[in-house]
Amino acid sequence: MLVGGKQYLSVWMEGRKVCMVDQTLLPFQFQIFESGSYLTTCEAIRKMVVRGAGALGAAAGYALAQAALEAPIHNYSDFLLQARKEIESTRPTARNLFFAVERVYNASLSSREHAVEEACRIADEDATASEQIGVLGKTLIKNGSRIATHCNAGWLAFVDHGTALSPVYHGFREGKSIFVYVDETRPRGQGARLTAWELHNAGIPHAIIPDNATPWYMSRGMIDLMIVGADRIAINGDVANKIGTLGKAIAAQRYHLPAWFNVGATFKL
Amino acid sequence: MLVGGKQYLSVWMEGRKVCMVDQTLLPFQFQIFESGSYLTTCEAIRKMVVRGAGALGAAAGYALAQAALEAPIHNYSDFLLQARKEIESTRPTARNLFFAVERVYNASLSSREHAVEEACRIADEDATASEQIGVLGKTLIKNGSRIATHCNAGWLAFVDHGTALSPVYHGFREGKSIFVYVDETRPRGQGARLTAWELHNAGIPHAIIPDNATPWYMSRGMIDLMIVGADRIAINGDVANKIGTLGKAIAAQRYHLPAWFNVGATFKL
């Protein structure tokens, strides 16, 4: 009766299952993790099988849709409320997770079908928004650009396309020559493990560098712009993002580099 | 007939042997590497068994003293010249190594004994200078100071005391309360592996943090000063040091922290 939405790249729903690229195994192993219950999806979020702002939002929405499918009729609303709390406890810093859970929860109040539809809609919106970031953002990338990134804000971190990497992908597909300096992103290595893996698969020339090295490359005029994702952007332009973003932003400012956070928002330092 | 100099902490000479703490094994294993020939000492320098500006200078001086002891009488000067070139090829970026080799080479022209004496004198001078850095530098450290470091410029990196850490040791011994933020220092981890090990052994409270995190701690007012070593300081104040120093310096400037390079020189940003 209920089927999932589109099969996206990083995370999607098939019937009652939530499927996701297991990001803990990359870059050494590519494996799809299939979760048959909302509690298993919660565990996957906790263990960073899935990570990244948009991907977490989609996964959390799917998890609550799973819960709606699992909930017994006689105890439907209590079950959903409990599931919502459980999902919200998995990653207290992920804002996307909270608003996805809220939307799917509200939809679940009318029916299970609406819960699943809403979860799929959240994923669709994330994919569309990420694609639009690429369409708009690619105009900022000149032919021959040398671009620095931090952490992973590519398609693994969203439902598709990514945010920081979306303009890179779109520009590259248009034939622009691009080189990406990928910092390791200690302590968890999302740059070295995930961004480099994405770029390798896309055939985009890149190098992994220690987090320490980015300011030096900037000082030598070897980086034209830096693009990073952002967990959140406040209305005054303040940005919340992964540890290390601040140091890179200060260095970019020092060397007068253009820097954009979540290109759609185009905040300049 | 020939005995070495004093037994220092990181590197010293005993008869014809050069002894050094094997820094490649730390922090998991403490082991003294004993080199019986100048070529073995060269290999130890290449493999970073010994590293750090002052320790490299001492090791290189000792290596050439070893060569003077090994050189056959009929071929003494050719052997020494060849040994000098060999030692100089081990670490082309280490200035201390070059001036130590030059001094010991000049001494070796008069006799083997002079070569050994000169090598020991270089180690003595390094230990004395490092101690003086501590004596002068400790006045810069207030009680309760929270200090950031980068890489390792402690006693492992010099013949004794260290440069950046010498004021920390001297201040701590005076009873000052001190907390040290030790950055990992990717890609080789000298902070996480060596500086943290030194501080642990000295009983000085500290935490290892990712290189990425230092600017954030500065922005929160959690770091009072940053002390780093310097491979070289030019007369105009320019500093050459390990990758990552630039980014930390820019962040320290942004947050108006005092920053000293090789405290003896007291360059402020």
Side-chain angles (χ1 to χ4, degrees), chain A residues 86-211:
Chain A
E86 182 67 28
I87 298 166
E88 287 177 342
S89 74
T90 56
R91 281 288 290 268
T93 59
R95 274 311 300 168
N96 286 54
L97 183 148
F98 284 86
F99 79 64
V101 165
E102 187 172 0
R103 281 176 56 176
V104 176
Y105 181 79
N106 291 338
S108 75
L109 297 179
S110 54
S111 76
R112 290 168 164 165
E113 289 77 3
H114 283 150
V116 175
E117 279 169 24
E118 189 66 11
C120 295
R121 193 173 297 125
I122 288 167
D124 290 345
E125 288 171 12
D126 188 77
T128 307
S130 295
E131 184 168 20
Q132 273 305 106
I133 287 174
V135 170
L136 296 169
K138 70 182 177 186
T139 61
L140 303 171
I141 296 175
K142 297 195 181 72
N143 189 39
S145 284
R146 297 154 307 171
I147 303 167
T149 64
H150 181 56
C151 197
N152 172 262
W155 62 258
L156 283 165
F158 292 84
V159 176
D160 199 353
H161 304 285
T163 53
L165 288 190
S166 187
V168 173
Y169 289 135
H170 280 78
F172 187 73
R173 274 182 219 132
E174 267 188 351
K176 282 174 184 161
S177 156
I178 287 171
F179 189 89
V180 184
Y181 288 96
V182 179
D183 74 13
E184 294 183 296
T185 319
R186 296 279 300 167
R188 297 201 65 128
Q190 293 92 332
R193 291 195 305 108
L194 306 178
T195 301
W197 180 83
E198 280 195 33
L199 293 172
H200 174 77
N201 285 318
I204 299 177
H206 63 282
I208 299 172
I209 60 173
D211 295 296

Side-chain angles (χ1 to χ4, degrees), chain A residues 150 183-187 210-213 215-217 219 243-248 250-251 253-255, chain B residues 150 183-187 210-213 215-217 219 243-248 250-251 253-255:
Chain A
H150 181 56
D183 74 13
E184 294 183 296
T185 319
R186 296 279 300 167
D211 295 296
N212 270 326
W216 184 85
Y217 282 101
S219 77
I243 191 77
T245 308
L246 176 63
K248 305 294 162 74
I250 293 169
Q253 185 181 48
R254 171 67 183 75
Y255 293 110
Chain B
H150 181 56
D183 74 12
E184 294 184 295
T185 319
R186 295 279 300 168
D211 296 295
N212 270 327
W216 185 84
Y217 282 101
S219 77
I243 191 77
T245 308
L246 176 63
K248 304 292 161 73
I250 293 169
Q253 186 181 47
R254 171 67 183 75
Y255 293 110

Side-chain angles (χ1 to χ4, degrees), chain B residues 10 20-26 33 40-53 55-56 59 90-91 93-94 151-152 156-157 185 187-190 193-194 242:
Chain B
S10 66
M20 52 195 102
V21 175
D22 188 338
Q23 300 194 35
T24 63
L25 302 177
L26 289 174
F33 180 89
T40 307
T41 307
C42 286
E43 198 54 21
I45 295 173
R46 271 202 196 88
K47 292 191 169 162
M48 293 182 75
V49 173
V50 59
R51 50 146 292 284
L56 278 173
T90 57
R91 280 287 291 268
T93 59
C151 198
N152 173 262
L156 283 166
T185 319
R188 297 201 64 127
Q190 293 93 332
R193 291 196 304 108
L194 306 178
K242 167 66 45 64

Side-chain angles (χ1 to χ4, degrees), chain B:
Chain B
M1 96 194 180
L2 286 158
V3 296
K6 293 186 196 159
Q7 185 181 331
Y8 285 113
L9 282 178
S10 66
V11 56
W12 65 94
M13 198 169 184
E14 281 179 21
R16 289 164 172 266
K17 279 189 309 190
V18 177
C19 306
M20 52 195 102
V21 175
D22 188 338
Q23 300 194 35
T24 63
L25 302 177
L26 289 174
F28 305 108
Q29 211 178 322
F30 180 82
Q31 199 168 290
I32 304 301
F33 180 89
E34 299 192 349
S35 161
S37 74
Y38 96 85
L39 282 172
T40 307
T41 307
C42 286
E43 198 54 21
I45 295 173
R46 271 202 196 88
K47 292 191 169 162
M48 293 182 75
V49 173
V50 59
R51 50 146 292 284
L56 278 173
Y62 288 144
L64 197 58
Q66 280 182 306
L69 297 175
E70 292 167 34
I73 292 176
H74 66 276
N75 194 28
Y76 184 80
S77 42
D78 281 357
F79 191 95
L80 264 289
L81 198 60
Q82 171 59 27
R84 177 181 177 163
K85 282 182 191 159
E86 182 67 26
I87 298 165
E88 288 177 342
S89 75
T90 57
R91 280 287 291 268
T93 59
R95 275 309 300 167
N96 287 54
L97 183 147
F98 284 87
F99 81 64
V101 165
E102 185 171 1
R103 281 176 55 176
V104 177
Y105 181 79
N106 291 338
S108 74
L109 297 178
S110 54
S111 76
R112 291 170 165 164
E113 289 76 3
H114 283 151
V116 175
E117 280 168 23
E118 189 66 12
C120 294
R121 194 173 297 122
I122 288 167
D124 290 345
E125 289 171 10
D126 188 77
T128 307
S130 294
E131 184 167 21
Q132 273 306 105
I133 287 174
V135 170
L136 297 169
K138 70 182 177 186
T139 60
L140 302 172
I141 296 176
K142 297 195 181 72
N143 189 40
S145 284
R146 298 155 304 170
I147 304 168
T149 65
H150 181 56
C151 198
N152 173 262
W155 64 258
L156 283 166
F158 293 83
V159 175
D160 199 353
H161 304 285
T163 53
L165 288 190
S166 187
V168 174
Y169 289 135
H170 281 77
F172 187 72
R173 275 182 219 132
E174 268 189 350
K176 282 174 183 161
S177 156
I178 286 172
F179 188 90
V180 184
Y181 287 96
V182 180
D183 74 12
E184 294 184 295
T185 319
R186 295 279 300 168
R188 297 201 64 127
Q190 293 93 332
R193 291 196 304 108
L194 306 178
T195 301
W197 180 83
E198 280 195 34
L199 293 172
H200 174 76
N201 285 318
I204 299 176
H206 63 282
I208 299 173
I209 60 173
D211 296 295
N212 270 327
T214 316
W216 185 84
Y217 282 101
M218 290 178 177
S219 77
R220 311 294 284 189
M222 293 169 75
I223 294 174
D224 300 303
L225 78 159
M226 172 143 205
I227 315 184
V228 301
D231 287 334
R232 258 346 176 230
I233 302 174
I235 206 163
N236 69 347
D238 284 353
V239 167
N241 196 40
K242 167 66 45 64
I243 191 77
T245 308
L246 176 63
K248 304 292 161 73
I250 293 169
Q253 186 181 47
R254 171 67 183 75
Y255 293 110
H256 312 294
L257 286 196
W260 289 273
F261 296 98
N262 261 4
V263 178
T266 55
F267 281 103
K268 286 192 73 171
L269 275 173

